[in-house]
Amino acid sequence: MTGTTLTPVLSAHWDREDLYTLDGYRAVGGYGALRKALAMEPDALVDLVKASGLRGRGGAGFPTGMKWGFLPKDNPNPRYLVVNADESEPGTCKDIPLMMANPHALVEGVIISAYAIRSHHAFIYVRGEVLHVIRRLRQAVDEAREAGLIGTDILGSGFDLDVVVHAGAGAYICGEETALLDSLEGYRGQPRLKPPFPAVAGLYASPTVVNNVESIASVPPIVANGAEWFTSMGTEKSAGFGFFSLSGHVTRPGQYEAPLGVTLRELLDMAGGIRAGHRLKFWTPGGSSTPIFTEEHLDTPLDFESVGAAGSMLGTRALQIFDETTCVVRAVGRWIAFYAHESCGKCTPCREGNFWMVQVLDRLENGEGTEADVEKLLDICDNLLGRSFCALGDGATSPVMSSIKYFRDEYIQHMEQRGCPFDHAKSTVWGGA
């Protein structure tokens, strides 16, 4: 595509049929960055990632190099690198296609990152349902091991590393880093109290770095091309590129790798716009746990600061697009049903709050609600936000509060008409033509 702002780096060779193999990856320059990295001092690599301004691509946007730098230097325990590949946020779909199309990009990133933080054991924690991805990743790790890229004395550098691909059991909560660590240790996946943070006492009570798939896969191109190359893209505080996953009522859904700071209007232009004959109603900038945006936010730069200033979060850049055929009450109800199902139950606000929000939203959708129910939802959110043990509870309030903010009239309509005013078939692929 010409005249676009796309920056294909991680997705540059996805059209190559053998990219998932070691030979295919090497044919496009794969593992060249690893040789360069092993010739550097580990601390120099940490400084390079700090200088690049790479921020965590898993949602929170914490500076990656700074996280690496938090590992205590005087701790005698082994250090661990854990890759969070438990992608399970509704609407989020970037890490799984990346691991499927180009698993060696992640494996190379893991080896370089482990070397940088002086870790000899790395774990990739993958969502259990994506068995095809787990098999492909394990195949890539085996290929790398056979080629001497994993194991003892990697490429004659004296650096040893073992990499384990671990399959989770399909709990959304295990996307939260401390719940992931508990799951990895064989316990029930529930978040831990912080502090201590994983950098001090993480996996097996040892210093641990937990990073997202896309964050780690972004390390090799930074090593290969330098920090200035990375900071030349994106914005001053949100450097580099990232996947923007467009789904829903859009002509060409898919992965759009673009600089941070791109707008939804620009992305929609590249994606062929909203599906024919319809207009944008609302959208999520970062998956279902981020406050929704509307048409007025089309030109909001999609970087951490701008999205935050506009009242939402960039999150995982999962842009779910909904046109005017969608009932916002029904959409929010589906999301909250998911959060109620996935709440780990450790804390009362999240366990009970999400359960009761489902009851209220179902009542409204079925035309049995009252005006007091809207206030009831906001009251439950008030008891959830900032009071739950981890961010799952906070995230669940986002679609509820933001939808009432922008579409309170629609909630009222459900009461006045004693039911949903929308024909749900029209929001489907076959009903909206």
Side-chain angles (χ1 to χ4, degrees), residues 212-276:
N212 170 258
V213 168
E214 192 186 349
S215 309
I216 294 294
S218 298
V219 171
I222 291 172
V223 171
N225 300 296
E228 286 185 11
W229 165 81
F230 193 75
T231 56
S232 70
M233 295 172 276
T235 65
E236 186 185 349
K237 292 184 178 175
S238 298
F241 51 85
F243 285 112
F244 292 84
S245 311
L246 269 67
S247 63
H249 295 141
V250 59
T251 306
R252 286 191 297 276
Q255 306 298 333
Y256 291 81
E257 197 175 3
L260 299 188
V262 69
T263 65
L264 179 61
R265 191 184 299 277
E266 290 173 285
L267 289 166
L268 281 175
D269 283 346
M270 292 181 254
I274 304 295
R275 62 177 179 165

Short mmCIF file of all heavy atoms in Angstrom, two decimals, residues 212-276:
data_model
loop_
_atom_site.label_atom_id
_atom_site.label_comp_id
_atom_site.label_asym_id
_atom_site.label_seq_id
_atom_site.Cartn_x
_atom_site.Cartn_y
_atom_site.Cartn_z
N ASN A 212 5.62 -8.84 27.78
CA ASN A 212 4.68 -9.30 26.75
C ASN A 212 5.42 -9.80 25.51
O ASN A 212 6.56 -9.43 25.25
CB ASN A 212 3.76 -8.12 26.41
CG ASN A 212 2.90 -8.36 25.19
OD1 ASN A 212 3.19 -7.87 24.11
ND2 ASN A 212 1.85 -9.13 25.36
N VAL A 213 4.75 -10.65 24.74
CA VAL A 213 5.31 -11.21 23.50
C VAL A 213 5.83 -10.13 22.56
O VAL A 213 6.98 -10.18 22.10
CB VAL A 213 4.24 -12.06 22.77
CG1 VAL A 213 4.70 -12.42 21.35
CG2 VAL A 213 3.91 -13.31 23.55
N GLU A 214 4.98 -9.15 22.28
CA GLU A 214 5.36 -8.11 21.31
C GLU A 214 6.54 -7.27 21.83
O GLU A 214 7.39 -6.85 21.04
CB GLU A 214 4.15 -7.21 21.02
CG GLU A 214 4.34 -6.29 19.83
CD GLU A 214 3.19 -5.32 19.64
OE1 GLU A 214 2.14 -5.49 20.29
OE2 GLU A 214 3.35 -4.38 18.84
N SER A 215 6.58 -7.04 23.15
CA SER A 215 7.71 -6.29 23.73
C SER A 215 9.02 -7.02 23.46
O SER A 215 10.00 -6.42 23.01
CB SER A 215 7.53 -6.13 25.25
OG SER A 215 6.26 -5.63 25.58
N ILE A 216 9.04 -8.33 23.76
CA ILE A 216 10.26 -9.12 23.59
C ILE A 216 10.62 -9.27 22.11
O ILE A 216 11.80 -9.19 21.72
CB ILE A 216 10.10 -10.51 24.26
CG1 ILE A 216 9.98 -10.35 25.78
CG2 ILE A 216 11.25 -11.43 23.91
CD1 ILE A 216 11.20 -9.82 26.48
N ALA A 217 9.61 -9.46 21.25
CA ALA A 217 9.88 -9.59 19.81
C ALA A 217 10.39 -8.30 19.19
O ALA A 217 11.01 -8.32 18.11
CB ALA A 217 8.61 -10.05 19.09
N SER A 218 10.15 -7.16 19.87
CA SER A 218 10.63 -5.87 19.37
C SER A 218 12.10 -5.63 19.69
O SER A 218 12.71 -4.69 19.14
CB SER A 218 9.79 -4.72 19.97
OG SER A 218 8.44 -4.84 19.60
N VAL A 219 12.69 -6.45 20.57
CA VAL A 219 14.08 -6.25 20.99
C VAL A 219 15.07 -6.51 19.85
O VAL A 219 15.97 -5.69 19.61
CB VAL A 219 14.40 -7.08 22.25
CG1 VAL A 219 15.90 -7.05 22.56
CG2 VAL A 219 13.60 -6.55 23.44
N PRO A 220 14.97 -7.65 19.10
CA PRO A 220 15.95 -7.88 18.02
C PRO A 220 16.03 -6.74 16.99
O PRO A 220 17.15 -6.32 16.65
CB PRO A 220 15.48 -9.19 17.39
CG PRO A 220 14.78 -9.90 18.49
CD PRO A 220 14.09 -8.83 19.27
N PRO A 221 14.90 -6.19 16.47
CA PRO A 221 15.04 -5.08 15.53
C PRO A 221 15.68 -3.84 16.14
O PRO A 221 16.39 -3.10 15.45
CB PRO A 221 13.61 -4.78 15.07
CG PRO A 221 12.69 -5.62 15.86
CD PRO A 221 13.51 -6.67 16.53
N ILE A 222 15.47 -3.63 17.46
CA ILE A 222 16.13 -2.49 18.13
C ILE A 222 17.64 -2.72 18.18
O ILE A 222 18.43 -1.82 17.91
CB ILE A 222 15.54 -2.28 19.55
CG1 ILE A 222 14.10 -1.77 19.46
CG2 ILE A 222 16.40 -1.31 20.35
CD1 ILE A 222 13.37 -1.72 20.79
N VAL A 223 18.04 -3.95 18.51
CA VAL A 223 19.47 -4.28 18.55
C VAL A 223 20.09 -4.16 17.15
O VAL A 223 21.18 -3.61 16.97
CB VAL A 223 19.69 -5.71 19.10
CG1 VAL A 223 21.15 -6.14 18.95
CG2 VAL A 223 19.26 -5.78 20.56
N ALA A 224 19.36 -4.63 16.14
CA ALA A 224 19.88 -4.62 14.77
C ALA A 224 19.99 -3.21 14.19
O ALA A 224 20.95 -2.88 13.48
CB ALA A 224 18.98 -5.47 13.87
N ASN A 225 19.00 -2.35 14.51
CA ASN A 225 18.93 -1.04 13.85
C ASN A 225 19.27 0.15 14.74
O ASN A 225 19.45 1.26 14.24
CB ASN A 225 17.52 -0.83 13.28
CG ASN A 225 17.16 -1.88 12.25
OD1 ASN A 225 17.78 -1.97 11.20
ND2 ASN A 225 16.16 -2.71 12.55
N GLY A 226 19.33 -0.06 16.05
CA GLY A 226 19.72 1.01 16.95
C GLY A 226 18.53 1.75 17.56
O GLY A 226 17.41 1.70 17.05
N ALA A 227 18.80 2.43 18.68
CA ALA A 227 17.75 3.13 19.42
C ALA A 227 17.19 4.30 18.62
O ALA A 227 15.99 4.57 18.66
CB ALA A 227 18.31 3.63 20.76
N GLU A 228 18.06 5.00 17.87
CA GLU A 228 17.59 6.18 17.12
C GLU A 228 16.61 5.78 16.03
O GLU A 228 15.64 6.51 15.75
CB GLU A 228 18.78 6.94 16.52
CG GLU A 228 19.56 7.74 17.55
CD GLU A 228 20.67 8.57 16.91
OE1 GLU A 228 20.68 8.69 15.66
OE2 GLU A 228 21.50 9.10 17.66
N TRP A 229 16.84 4.63 15.43
CA TRP A 229 15.90 4.13 14.41
C TRP A 229 14.52 3.92 15.03
O TRP A 229 13.51 4.31 14.45
CB TRP A 229 16.44 2.80 13.85
CG TRP A 229 15.43 2.00 13.08
CD1 TRP A 229 15.05 2.18 11.79
CD2 TRP A 229 14.67 0.87 13.57
NE1 TRP A 229 14.10 1.25 11.43
CE2 TRP A 229 13.85 0.43 12.50
CE3 TRP A 229 14.61 0.20 14.79
CZ2 TRP A 229 12.97 -0.65 12.63
CZ3 TRP A 229 13.75 -0.88 14.92
CH2 TRP A 229 12.94 -1.29 13.85
N PHE A 230 14.49 3.37 16.24
CA PHE A 230 13.22 3.08 16.91
C PHE A 230 12.53 4.37 17.33
O PHE A 230 11.31 4.52 17.13
CB PHE A 230 13.47 2.19 18.13
CG PHE A 230 12.22 1.57 18.70
CD1 PHE A 230 11.58 0.52 18.07
CD2 PHE A 230 11.68 2.05 19.90
CE1 PHE A 230 10.43 -0.06 18.60
CE2 PHE A 230 10.53 1.49 20.44
CZ PHE A 230 9.91 0.43 19.79
N THR A 231 13.30 5.31 17.88
CA THR A 231 12.68 6.57 18.34
C THR A 231 12.29 7.48 17.18
O THR A 231 11.56 8.45 17.39
CB THR A 231 13.63 7.34 19.29
OG1 THR A 231 14.88 7.56 18.62
CG2 THR A 231 13.88 6.57 20.57
N SER A 232 12.76 7.17 15.97
CA SER A 232 12.35 7.97 14.81
C SER A 232 10.88 7.72 14.45
O SER A 232 10.27 8.46 13.68
CB SER A 232 13.23 7.67 13.59
OG SER A 232 12.95 6.37 13.08
N MET A 233 10.31 6.67 15.01
CA MET A 233 8.89 6.35 14.81
C MET A 233 8.13 6.62 16.10
O MET A 233 8.69 6.61 17.19
CB MET A 233 8.73 4.88 14.41
CG MET A 233 9.35 4.54 13.07
SD MET A 233 9.33 2.77 12.72
CE MET A 233 10.81 2.23 13.56
N GLY A 234 6.85 6.84 15.97
CA GLY A 234 6.03 7.07 17.15
C GLY A 234 6.11 8.50 17.62
O GLY A 234 6.43 9.42 16.86
N THR A 235 5.86 8.70 18.92
CA THR A 235 5.89 10.05 19.50
C THR A 235 7.03 10.14 20.51
O THR A 235 7.71 9.15 20.78
CB THR A 235 4.55 10.36 20.20
OG1 THR A 235 4.39 9.47 21.31
CG2 THR A 235 3.37 10.20 19.24
N GLU A 236 7.19 11.30 21.09
CA GLU A 236 8.32 11.52 22.00
C GLU A 236 8.28 10.58 23.20
O GLU A 236 9.29 9.99 23.59
CB GLU A 236 8.31 12.97 22.50
CG GLU A 236 9.53 13.32 23.34
CD GLU A 236 9.46 14.72 23.92
OE1 GLU A 236 8.59 15.51 23.51
OE2 GLU A 236 10.30 15.03 24.78
N LYS A 237 7.10 10.40 23.78
CA LYS A 237 6.98 9.55 24.98
C LYS A 237 6.48 8.14 24.67
O LYS A 237 6.53 7.27 25.52
CB LYS A 237 6.05 10.21 26.00
CG LYS A 237 6.64 11.49 26.59
CD LYS A 237 5.74 12.07 27.65
CE LYS A 237 6.36 13.31 28.28
NZ LYS A 237 5.44 13.95 29.24
N SER A 238 5.96 7.95 23.46
CA SER A 238 5.50 6.61 23.05
C SER A 238 6.23 6.25 21.76
O SER A 238 5.70 6.41 20.66
CB SER A 238 3.98 6.60 22.83
OG SER A 238 3.30 6.91 24.02
N ALA A 239 7.47 5.80 21.92
CA ALA A 239 8.32 5.58 20.74
C ALA A 239 7.99 4.28 20.03
O ALA A 239 7.44 3.34 20.61
CB ALA A 239 9.79 5.58 21.18
N GLY A 240 8.36 4.24 18.75
CA GLY A 240 8.33 2.99 18.00
C GLY A 240 7.00 2.68 17.33
O GLY A 240 6.16 3.55 17.12
N PHE A 241 6.87 1.42 16.99
CA PHE A 241 5.73 0.92 16.22
C PHE A 241 5.00 -0.13 17.05
O PHE A 241 5.49 -0.57 18.09
CB PHE A 241 6.23 0.27 14.92
CG PHE A 241 7.31 -0.75 15.17
CD1 PHE A 241 7.00 -2.06 15.50
CD2 PHE A 241 8.67 -0.38 15.12
CE1 PHE A 241 7.99 -3.00 15.76
CE2 PHE A 241 9.67 -1.32 15.40
CZ PHE A 241 9.33 -2.63 15.71
N GLY A 242 3.84 -0.54 16.57
CA GLY A 242 3.10 -1.59 17.27
C GLY A 242 1.98 -2.10 16.40
O GLY A 242 1.62 -1.48 15.39
N PHE A 243 1.43 -3.22 16.80
CA PHE A 243 0.28 -3.77 16.08
C PHE A 243 -1.00 -3.08 16.52
O PHE A 243 -1.24 -2.92 17.72
CB PHE A 243 0.14 -5.28 16.35
CG PHE A 243 1.15 -6.11 15.63
CD1 PHE A 243 2.14 -6.79 16.32
CD2 PHE A 243 1.12 -6.21 14.25
CE1 PHE A 243 3.07 -7.56 15.66
CE2 PHE A 243 2.06 -6.99 13.58
CZ PHE A 243 3.03 -7.65 14.28
N PHE A 244 -1.80 -2.69 15.57
CA PHE A 244 -3.15 -2.18 15.84
C PHE A 244 -4.10 -3.21 15.23
O PHE A 244 -4.11 -3.42 14.02
CB PHE A 244 -3.34 -0.79 15.21
CG PHE A 244 -2.50 0.26 15.87
CD1 PHE A 244 -1.17 0.45 15.49
CD2 PHE A 244 -3.00 1.05 16.89
CE1 PHE A 244 -0.37 1.41 16.12
CE2 PHE A 244 -2.21 2.00 17.53
CZ PHE A 244 -0.89 2.18 17.14
N SER A 245 -4.85 -3.88 16.10
CA SER A 245 -5.70 -4.99 15.66
C SER A 245 -7.11 -4.49 15.43
O SER A 245 -7.83 -4.21 16.39
CB SER A 245 -5.71 -6.11 16.71
OG SER A 245 -4.40 -6.43 17.11
N LEU A 246 -7.50 -4.36 14.17
CA LEU A 246 -8.84 -3.88 13.85
C LEU A 246 -9.78 -5.06 13.67
O LEU A 246 -9.50 -5.97 12.89
CB LEU A 246 -8.82 -3.03 12.56
CG LEU A 246 -8.61 -1.52 12.77
CD1 LEU A 246 -7.21 -1.25 13.29
CD2 LEU A 246 -8.86 -0.76 11.48
N SER A 247 -10.89 -5.04 14.40
CA SER A 247 -11.89 -6.09 14.26
C SER A 247 -13.28 -5.47 14.32
O SER A 247 -13.44 -4.29 14.64
CB SER A 247 -11.73 -7.13 15.38
OG SER A 247 -11.95 -6.55 16.65
N GLY A 248 -14.27 -6.28 14.00
CA GLY A 248 -15.65 -5.78 14.06
C GLY A 248 -16.14 -5.25 12.73
O GLY A 248 -15.82 -5.81 11.67
N HIS A 249 -16.89 -4.16 12.78
CA HIS A 249 -17.55 -3.63 11.58
C HIS A 249 -16.62 -2.78 10.74
O HIS A 249 -16.82 -1.57 10.55
CB HIS A 249 -18.78 -2.81 12.00
CG HIS A 249 -19.85 -3.63 12.65
ND1 HIS A 249 -20.60 -3.19 13.72
CD2 HIS A 249 -20.29 -4.90 12.39
CE1 HIS A 249 -21.46 -4.13 14.08
NE2 HIS A 249 -21.28 -5.18 13.29
N VAL A 250 -15.58 -3.41 10.23
CA VAL A 250 -14.60 -2.72 9.39
C VAL A 250 -14.42 -3.54 8.12
O VAL A 250 -14.52 -4.78 8.15
CB VAL A 250 -13.27 -2.52 10.18
CG1 VAL A 250 -12.68 -3.84 10.61
CG2 VAL A 250 -12.27 -1.71 9.39
N THR A 251 -14.16 -2.87 7.00
CA THR A 251 -14.12 -3.57 5.71
C THR A 251 -13.02 -4.62 5.66
O THR A 251 -13.25 -5.74 5.21
CB THR A 251 -13.92 -2.55 4.57
OG1 THR A 251 -14.95 -1.55 4.68
CG2 THR A 251 -14.03 -3.22 3.21
N ARG A 252 -11.81 -4.24 6.11
CA ARG A 252 -10.69 -5.20 6.07
C ARG A 252 -10.09 -5.33 7.47
O ARG A 252 -9.11 -4.66 7.80
CB ARG A 252 -9.62 -4.74 5.08
CG ARG A 252 -10.00 -4.93 3.61
CD ARG A 252 -8.80 -4.71 2.68
NE ARG A 252 -8.30 -3.35 2.75
CZ ARG A 252 -8.80 -2.33 2.04
NH1 ARG A 252 -9.80 -2.54 1.20
NH2 ARG A 252 -8.30 -1.11 2.14
N PRO A 253 -10.68 -6.18 8.32
CA PRO A 253 -10.11 -6.36 9.67
C PRO A 253 -8.73 -7.01 9.58
O PRO A 253 -8.40 -7.65 8.58
CB PRO A 253 -11.13 -7.28 10.36
CG PRO A 253 -11.85 -7.97 9.25
CD PRO A 253 -11.84 -7.04 8.08
N GLY A 254 -7.93 -6.85 10.60
CA GLY A 254 -6.62 -7.49 10.61
C GLY A 254 -5.60 -6.71 11.41
O GLY A 254 -5.93 -5.79 12.16
N GLN A 255 -4.33 -7.09 11.23
CA GLN A 255 -3.22 -6.46 11.94
C GLN A 255 -2.65 -5.33 11.09
O GLN A 255 -2.29 -5.54 9.94
CB GLN A 255 -2.12 -7.48 12.23
CG GLN A 255 -2.57 -8.74 12.94
CD GLN A 255 -3.14 -8.45 14.31
OE1 GLN A 255 -2.79 -7.47 14.94
NE2 GLN A 255 -4.03 -9.30 14.77
N TYR A 256 -2.56 -4.15 11.67
CA TYR A 256 -1.95 -3.00 10.99
C TYR A 256 -0.78 -2.53 11.85
O TYR A 256 -0.98 -2.00 12.94
CB TYR A 256 -2.99 -1.89 10.79
CG TYR A 256 -4.05 -2.29 9.77
CD1 TYR A 256 -5.12 -3.11 10.14
CD2 TYR A 256 -3.96 -1.90 8.44
CE1 TYR A 256 -6.07 -3.51 9.22
CE2 TYR A 256 -4.91 -2.29 7.51
CZ TYR A 256 -5.96 -3.10 7.90
OH TYR A 256 -6.89 -3.50 6.97
N GLU A 257 0.43 -2.79 11.38
CA GLU A 257 1.62 -2.41 12.15
C GLU A 257 2.00 -0.99 11.76
O GLU A 257 2.38 -0.72 10.63
CB GLU A 257 2.77 -3.38 11.87
CG GLU A 257 3.86 -3.31 12.92
CD GLU A 257 4.96 -4.35 12.72
OE1 GLU A 257 4.90 -5.09 11.72
OE2 GLU A 257 5.88 -4.39 13.54
N ALA A 258 1.86 -0.10 12.71
CA ALA A 258 2.02 1.34 12.43
C ALA A 258 2.70 2.02 13.61
O ALA A 258 2.76 1.45 14.71
CB ALA A 258 0.65 1.97 12.17
N PRO A 259 3.21 3.24 13.41
CA PRO A 259 3.84 3.96 14.53
C PRO A 259 2.80 4.33 15.59
O PRO A 259 1.65 4.61 15.25
CB PRO A 259 4.41 5.23 13.88
CG PRO A 259 4.25 5.06 12.41
CD PRO A 259 3.20 4.04 12.18
N LEU A 260 3.20 4.32 16.85
CA LEU A 260 2.31 4.82 17.89
C LEU A 260 2.03 6.29 17.60
O LEU A 260 2.91 7.03 17.15
CB LEU A 260 2.95 4.66 19.27
CG LEU A 260 3.29 3.24 19.71
CD1 LEU A 260 3.73 3.23 21.17
CD2 LEU A 260 2.12 2.29 19.52
N GLY A 261 0.81 6.71 17.83
CA GLY A 261 0.41 8.08 17.49
C GLY A 261 -0.43 8.16 16.24
O GLY A 261 -0.99 9.21 15.91
N VAL A 262 -0.55 7.03 15.51
CA VAL A 262 -1.45 6.99 14.36
C VAL A 262 -2.88 7.16 14.88
O VAL A 262 -3.16 6.90 16.05
CB VAL A 262 -1.28 5.64 13.59
CG1 VAL A 262 -1.81 4.49 14.41
CG2 VAL A 262 -1.93 5.67 12.22
N THR A 263 -3.80 7.63 14.06
CA THR A 263 -5.18 7.82 14.52
C THR A 263 -6.08 6.72 13.94
O THR A 263 -5.74 6.09 12.94
CB THR A 263 -5.73 9.18 14.08
OG1 THR A 263 -5.82 9.21 12.64
CG2 THR A 263 -4.85 10.32 14.56
N LEU A 264 -7.25 6.55 14.55
CA LEU A 264 -8.19 5.56 14.02
C LEU A 264 -8.65 5.98 12.62
O LEU A 264 -8.87 5.13 11.76
CB LEU A 264 -9.41 5.41 14.94
CG LEU A 264 -10.46 4.42 14.44
CD1 LEU A 264 -9.89 3.01 14.29
CD2 LEU A 264 -11.69 4.39 15.32
N ARG A 265 -8.77 7.29 12.39
CA ARG A 265 -9.18 7.74 11.06
C ARG A 265 -8.19 7.26 9.99
O ARG A 265 -8.59 6.75 8.94
CB ARG A 265 -9.30 9.28 11.01
CG ARG A 265 -9.97 9.79 9.73
CD ARG A 265 -9.99 11.31 9.68
NE ARG A 265 -10.72 11.93 10.76
CZ ARG A 265 -12.05 12.10 10.76
NH1 ARG A 265 -12.78 11.66 9.75
NH2 ARG A 265 -12.65 12.70 11.78
N GLU A 266 -6.90 7.37 10.30
CA GLU A 266 -5.87 6.91 9.35
C GLU A 266 -5.94 5.39 9.17
O GLU A 266 -5.84 4.87 8.05
CB GLU A 266 -4.48 7.30 9.85
CG GLU A 266 -4.20 8.80 9.80
CD GLU A 266 -2.87 9.13 10.46
OE1 GLU A 266 -2.78 9.12 11.70
OE2 GLU A 266 -1.91 9.39 9.71
N LEU A 267 -6.11 4.67 10.28
CA LEU A 267 -6.17 3.21 10.20
C LEU A 267 -7.40 2.75 9.43
O LEU A 267 -7.33 1.81 8.63
CB LEU A 267 -6.19 2.61 11.62
CG LEU A 267 -4.86 2.70 12.38
CD1 LEU A 267 -5.07 2.41 13.86
CD2 LEU A 267 -3.83 1.74 11.80
N LEU A 268 -8.53 3.43 9.65
CA LEU A 268 -9.75 3.07 8.92
C LEU A 268 -9.59 3.32 7.42
O LEU A 268 -10.11 2.56 6.60
CB LEU A 268 -10.95 3.85 9.46
CG LEU A 268 -11.57 3.33 10.77
CD1 LEU A 268 -12.67 4.26 11.25
CD2 LEU A 268 -12.10 1.91 10.61
N ASP A 269 -8.87 4.39 7.07
CA ASP A 269 -8.61 4.66 5.64
C ASP A 269 -7.87 3.49 5.02
O ASP A 269 -8.16 3.07 3.89
CB ASP A 269 -7.78 5.94 5.48
CG ASP A 269 -8.62 7.20 5.67
OD1 ASP A 269 -9.86 7.07 5.64
OD2 ASP A 269 -8.04 8.28 5.84
N MET A 270 -6.89 2.95 5.75
CA MET A 270 -6.12 1.82 5.24
C MET A 270 -6.93 0.53 5.25
O MET A 270 -6.69 -0.36 4.45
CB MET A 270 -4.85 1.63 6.09
CG MET A 270 -3.84 2.75 5.95
SD MET A 270 -2.39 2.41 6.96
CE MET A 270 -2.60 3.53 8.31
N ALA A 271 -7.90 0.45 6.15
CA ALA A 271 -8.70 -0.77 6.30
C ALA A 271 -9.99 -0.72 5.48
O ALA A 271 -10.87 -1.57 5.65
CB ALA A 271 -9.03 -1.00 7.76
N GLY A 272 -10.12 0.28 4.62
CA GLY A 272 -11.30 0.35 3.76
C GLY A 272 -12.52 0.94 4.43
O GLY A 272 -13.63 0.88 3.89
N GLY A 273 -12.33 1.51 5.62
CA GLY A 273 -13.43 2.19 6.31
C GLY A 273 -14.39 1.25 7.02
O GLY A 273 -14.23 0.03 7.03
N ILE A 274 -15.43 1.86 7.61
CA ILE A 274 -16.52 1.09 8.23
C ILE A 274 -17.22 0.32 7.13
O ILE A 274 -17.27 0.76 5.97
CB ILE A 274 -17.52 2.04 8.93
CG1 ILE A 274 -16.79 2.93 9.94
CG2 ILE A 274 -18.64 1.27 9.61
CD1 ILE A 274 -16.19 2.23 11.11
N ARG A 275 -17.80 -0.84 7.45
CA ARG A 275 -18.45 -1.64 6.41
C ARG A 275 -19.48 -0.81 5.64
O ARG A 275 -20.13 0.08 6.20
CB ARG A 275 -19.07 -2.90 6.99
CG ARG A 275 -20.17 -2.66 8.01
CD ARG A 275 -20.76 -3.96 8.48
NE ARG A 275 -21.80 -3.72 9.48
CZ ARG A 275 -22.68 -4.63 9.86
NH1 ARG A 275 -22.64 -5.83 9.35
NH2 ARG A 275 -23.59 -4.35 10.77
N ALA A 276 -19.63 -1.12 4.39
CA ALA A 276 -20.41 -0.29 3.45
C ALA A 276 -21.81 0.00 3.97
O ALA A 276 -22.50 -0.89 4.48
CB ALA A 276 -20.49 -1.00 2.10
#
